[in-house]
Amino acid sequence: MPAPTDVNIPAPSTLAMPSPGLPPFDYLCPDDPDEVVALLLQHGRSARLLMGGTDLFVQMRDGALAPRVVIDVKRLPGMRELSFDPADGLHVGAAVNMNALAAAPAVQQFYPLLAQAVASVASYQLRTRATMGGNLCNGSPAADTAPAALVLDAQCVVWGPDGERTIPANNFFLGVRKTALQPGEFLTRMEFPVPPTGYAGRYIKLGRNAGGDLAIVGVAVLGYPETSAASGYRFRFALASVAPTPIRVPEAEALLAEQPITSGLLSQAALAAEDAATPINDLRGSARYRKAMVRNLTRRALDDVWNQLQAEG
Amino acid sequence: MTTHHITFTINGAQEEALVTSHITLLAFLRERLGLTGTKNGCATGECGACTVLLDGEPVNACLVLAAEIDGADVITIEGLAHDGELEPLQQAFIDHTGTQCGFCTPGILISARALLNRNPDPTEDDIKDALRGNLCRCTGYQRIINAVQDAAKAGG
Amino acid sequence: MSTTTTNPTRPVGDSVKRIDALEKVTGEALFADDLQFGPGLLFGRIVRSPHPHALIKHIDTSRALAMPGVKAVVTGADTPKQIGLYLKDRHIFCRERTRYVGDPVAGVVATSEEIAEAACKLVEVEYEVLEPVLDPLRGMAPDAPLIHPDLGNYEVPNFIFPKAGTNISNHFKIRKGDPDAAWALCDAIVEDEFRVPHVQHVPIEPHVAVAKMDQRGEITLWTSSQSPFAQRNLIAEALGLSQSSVRVIAPFVGGGFGCKAGVTMEALAVVMAQKVPGYAVKLRLTREEEFFTTFVRQGLIARTKIGATADGKIQAMQTEYFWDAGAYTEYGVNITRASGYSSTGPYEIPNVRADSYCVYTNHPVGGAFRGFGMPEIHWGIEQIVDMLAEAIGMDKAEFRLKNCIRTGSIIATGSTMHPVGLVECIKQATAAIHWGTEERASAPHKRRGKGLAIMWKAPAMPPNAGSSASVRFNEDATVTVSVGGQEIGQGAFTVAAQMAAAALGVPYEWVRVEGPIDTQYNPYEWQTVASRLTWSMGNAVMAAAKDARRQVLDLAAEHWGEDVDHLDIKDGMVISYRSEEAMPLKKMVVYGLPKPAGQGWRGGPIIGHGSFMPSYVTGLDPETGQGPRSVVHYTTGCQAVDLEVDTITGQVTILRIAAAFDVGKAINPDQVRAQIEGGAVQGASTALFEGFQLKNGKLANHSFVDYRIATSVDVPFEIIPIIIEVPQDDGPWGARGIGEHSMVPTAPAIANAVADAIGVRVLELPITAEKLYLALEAQADGMPV
């Protein structure tokens, strides 16, 4: 029998609840990127960018965000363009919606891992509006497209007061809801290099139910033949929802590059992923369960990728 | 708070309106245009009761600003039947008892319409996946899935 | 009352299409929030208590009132009288005390929802925070803070027993036989504690109410409601008005499941409207408010002991239920009673002791949820019966067949069981999943298991809950049926039309059922709850249709000069079996028929009336719970589940649910199957995903983001609905209710199948993947699970 909880926690004098509608704001739809930069610099934290709005509006209703100015950037040049070049790879405008991204023939053919990650997000109608750019910029540890961006070595191209600069996805996430974007900067596109020849990838997401839940744990694994590696292969691992940011797992990657691959080594890599995870207890699951799931699902994804590589080879 | 002059088509008719920046497409449809077939179930894009077609693709109208539909084409549940003729999908929902309380039904029909537009011959798994953003608390979903399959066979 | 055998059955028994389907697939069906009130409509929003338990020291509404656009602010000072369905234990707005997080403290009326919301933040409330009660066991303790110090003075009906000076709002007892002596005879005894968290109904339509008071002080309330008449009655009493001065208009309900029964937030809108005569005031809840400020399913701690002899016969059962009823008990006190008298489950057990306590806590207000306590108590009953079968070493289906109630069994209250088809339900449901056959899991890391659970449930209501109906003809002989029962998705209007058509002898397509339900025009119905409409309202519709039919036949008999016994109505024609005369109903049912040779007319507009009220339910002895007829009837059934558990994640995949229920007579077999399927999925959703996470009385998962319900990709691969028909003696065409029953056994059936698959017994809902995985891990480490 658990002891009754009768501790008095000081509570606020009002009950903070989401409002029925959105709070008032100015909606601006500039057509020049520099105007966006100027607005961001002018309004600072009281300006928010709008692409799909699927996260922004929910947070505004909750009262977590109360911008005076909402800047719609999805109509800026290039923001909704997607292109693929066999030499350059895939360029995805930050405001390309997730359904368009997943349906693009180049994504289906060359980056199926990305399509898998996108398909795990919420629902089809939400993904008509949601964008991968927004998903990354929210800085949520649970962002489903982040592990894919990490293992595909994506580059985040941003526009800001000093023009364009590129931030590797691996350096993009700084903390919960914190990214490497500087004041006045905004994400304009993601660039995915041509993936390694003969690669295989898998994203596994665990939710409380199958219907598009936020991830309890998200695991991306990518592997490819690589003669320079002692094992003949290189792998990349990324995890969502088990640390303050989406993370890579260099320990597991090193392990599988350095020694001949055996079932035991795959298990060790899964353990290394578990060790790298520093999850919290929250409404979705306990830290203990999450760590175990990182291990088990990394192993499951790894087995799958390994089998694909064997079949290819 | 800015106001915006928007021009759009709604269920085939050209319209224009002046809207404040923070009114959602859902509130605009229900409270300004009187199109109450689109329902408000959660205001967070989770339940799908407010699903409408925006330029042919389904969206949660609760997470779209009315100001954003300038130049767009919007179809709501009221736009599915034409000249008193039901869509095969609507008829299939009647025939398969795909509706009980009926509150989720408009949103589900719009999601199903969008699915058949992009995939005229969906598998059962395709249908389930396309409808996973539409919560129904009454039917248990199977009759809805059967109705969509049947409508697809009837040519959508 | 005997079943009708002289009338043709059709369309009763036919799977006709829903009468409301066309409106619902076109978006034309109107729900309460769809009604248009023009630009003068005002909006209300509510100031709610942030504390689970506090005294209100002072409220200052002046800043809110001064805000432009604000029309009025209401507080507890405006609501002196108390309200409650059984026990009148709450004020519409709190007065001295708040009792749960979300308790309404003040209401703001303004020209827009946005202004009302903003003004709520300007209402200043000073609280003195009190120690909350956050657990029913703590609430039972002698030194627990009293949540209702005046409990002893509250108005209460004679079958509810509050204990003054405690937090116990009802204590129901069963004392039958001698369990203490019986334990010694038992070869196996099992004892355990089972827990059920609070869950929410999650109608996709949140609560909404629009109220208006005219200059005479008469109230109109438009609302999404299962209980227009009960709301009229309770609100009128609480405001000191005549029932005829309160009019409730209730259009289609976008999902009820019990949460739109009784009075929840509707009274708030009415009190706010009283401050602004002539204006309609709309109050609609956000999804977040919906989760914890309307009724929720109560939490339960169940302690049960059960024993059997080696021959597999259950000898004794002893149960204590501690209901976490929350701050007030609109329905909780009667759920406590119903769970007490049904505490044995559908088993014949000679020695029974049950104590069911309804305990006030500082949690959300407990109410009725599809099954009215039965899903909660069957969670423990059907697991402990499984455990006992194991202990005795009997097959679990065979064990249930040996002990379950049959026609003529003596049940826990000492009453005799009416004709019942539970044995057939068990046989057919288990056969449908190949019970007793081991089947392979779909992958090496998965484990497959099968389980079953049986159930019973009676309509839990006052013994004299009544129904009424009228049936009237239009000129072309189409028929308008008027009832006070509500269409909440369960198909009530469809079966009402089928019954009227069958009793009258007209085609189904000729019948309309009036909506919205309007207490000013529609005949009385107690409430649309308890799976009682098909049965109770059905009896009223049948009586009304027979009344109209008799009037038609009397008229035709006089016209033809024939004996009425030789006449019939078939397909909308009056016919005589003797003279072979025939005439259409058209025109004659309104204009009457001419007498010969221009001597005038006979007949006139035909309208039939019917009422039904059970008159045979007896009281129960307050000390023993014994009485000749405790309830009107029990519906029984069985679900058998075949599932897999993924040992890598703990996730459950339900492969098949076979569900068999004895509905007496399926008025519309397709609609019955739809109820069975929908209930199984709602049951599976509560079993696997749902539960309140309450922290110091505050609900942490108050949105769809963190309160997950089953989606289209979470449903069982296959649901096999099975209809058993052992007729009910007092039901129309033999029918009894089925709406709620379909989700009652689902959770324990799944738990039993999980136990079969992996040897893990989950005693507290929900059966999450995390719980199963961690239990498997402990099992692998050799730890007890």
Side-chain angles (χ1 to χ4, degrees), chain B residues 30 39 97 100 128 137 141, chain C residues 24 34 201 670 710 712:
Chain B
R30 289 182 55 82
K39 305 301 183 195
T97 311
Q100 286 188 26
K128 286 183 176 178
R137 193 63 155 167
Y141 301 103
Chain C
K24 287 180 172 175
D34 301 339
H201 312 67
D670 193 51
S712 55

Side-chain angles (χ1 to χ4, degrees), chain C residues 411-482:
Chain C
I411 61 174
T413 55
S415 315
T416 304
M417 192 66 197
H418 54 72
V420 58
L422 179 55
V423 166
E424 200 54 29
C425 290
I426 298 173
K427 287 180 176 168
Q428 292 205 23
T430 49
I433 68 157
H434 314 297
W435 184 259
T437 312
E438 285 225 6
E439 290 177 84
R440 285 161 58 97
S442 64
H445 63 277
K446 294 189 176 178
R447 303 275 179 275
R448 190 152 172 185
K450 294 180 185 179
L452 83 157
I454 63 177
M455 64 74 62
W456 70 346
K457 184 194 176 290
M461 55 188 199
N464 58 341
S467 299
S468 57
S470 73
V471 166
R472 58 184 196 269
F473 278 103
N474 304 305
E475 292 87 334
D476 61 356
T478 56
V479 177
T480 302
V481 175
S482 188

Side-chain angles (χ1 to χ4, degrees), chain A residues 20-217:
Chain A
L22 293 174
F25 54 84
D26 286 347
Y27 170 72
L28 304 176
C29 202
D31 44 24
D32 175 357
D34 288 328
E35 206 181 324
V36 176
V37 172
L39 285 166
L40 286 173
L41 291 174
Q42 181 193 340
H43 294 282
R45 292 170 62 84
S46 53
R48 298 296 297 193
L49 298 180
L50 167 64
M51 292 197 285
T54 53
D55 194 80
L56 176 66
F57 295 145
V58 174
Q59 289 200 65
M60 285 171 65
R61 219 187 128 251
D62 283 349
L65 293 176
R68 283 200 309 270
V69 179
V70 169
I71 309 164
D72 189 340
V73 293
K74 62 180 169 290
R75 297 178 197 206
L76 291 177
M79 289 293 277
R80 287 188 287 187
E81 277 171 22
L82 182 147
S83 64
F84 177 74
D85 179 284
D88 257 9
L90 179 72
H91 290 195
V92 181
V96 170
N97 77 56
M98 288 189 176
N99 287 336
L101 175 62
V107 173
Q108 298 263 324
Q109 193 179 348
F110 303 112
Y111 304 86
L113 178 62
L114 201 50
Q116 271 176 27
V118 163
S120 78
V121 174
S123 63
Y124 188 89
Q125 60 264 54
L126 195 106
R127 298 194 304 268
T128 304
R129 293 271 295 167
T131 64
M132 182 169 176
N135 197 229
L136 299 181
C137 290
N138 282 330
S140 163
D144 279 308
T145 61
L150 291 176
V151 298
L152 288 168
D153 272 344
Q155 303 289 312
C156 299
V157 180
V158 305
W159 188 260
D162 304 321
E164 195 168 275
R165 76 177 176 114
T166 298
I167 309 168
N170 278 303
N171 302 338
F172 191 73
F173 306 106
L174 303 183
V176 176
R177 302 239 170 240
K178 270 183 72 180
T179 66
L181 289 172
Q182 294 300 306
E185 285 187 335
F186 68 101
L187 182 67
T188 57
R189 67 179 182 276
M190 289 77 66
E191 297 184 354
F192 299 85
V194 177
T197 310
Y199 92 105
R202 176 86 196 273
Y203 181 66
I204 299 180
K205 167 177 170 172
L206 181 71
R208 287 161 294 190
N209 66 334
D213 191 13
L214 297 174
I216 298 173
V217 167

Side-chain angles (χ1 to χ4, degrees), chain C residues 286-373:
Chain C
T286 62
R287 175 56 60 185
E288 292 80 5
E289 288 177 297
E290 182 72 22
F291 268 108
F292 67 96
T293 72
T294 65
F295 300 143
V296 303
R297 193 170 86 179
Q298 303 181 114
L300 174 65
I301 299 170
R303 292 178 179 161
T304 300
K305 180 176 176 182
I306 189 168
T309 37
D311 61 354
K313 192 78 193 121
I314 302 175
Q315 299 297 342
M317 185 171 187
Q318 175 178 313
T319 304
E320 284 179 299
Y321 291 139
F322 304 98
W323 290 97
D324 186 341
Y328 308 98
T329 73
E330 185 82 350
Y331 281 96
V333 286
N334 200 30
I335 292 170
T336 300
R337 183 175 190 270
S339 61
Y341 63 63
S342 297
S343 64
T344 56
Y347 297 98
E348 184 167 30
I349 304 176
N351 303 291
V352 181
R353 180 186 298 127
D355 291 276
S356 185
Y357 301 95
C358 194
V359 187
Y360 283 123
T361 63
N362 295 110
H363 277 156
V365 181
F369 181 166
R370 197 174 195 173
F372 207 76

Side-chain angles (χ1 to χ4, degrees), chain C residues 100-118:
Chain C
Y100 72 99
V101 174
D103 217 351
V105 173
V108 176
V109 182
T111 51
S112 75
E113 207 169 29
E114 199 176 319
I115 294 171
E117 177 80 2

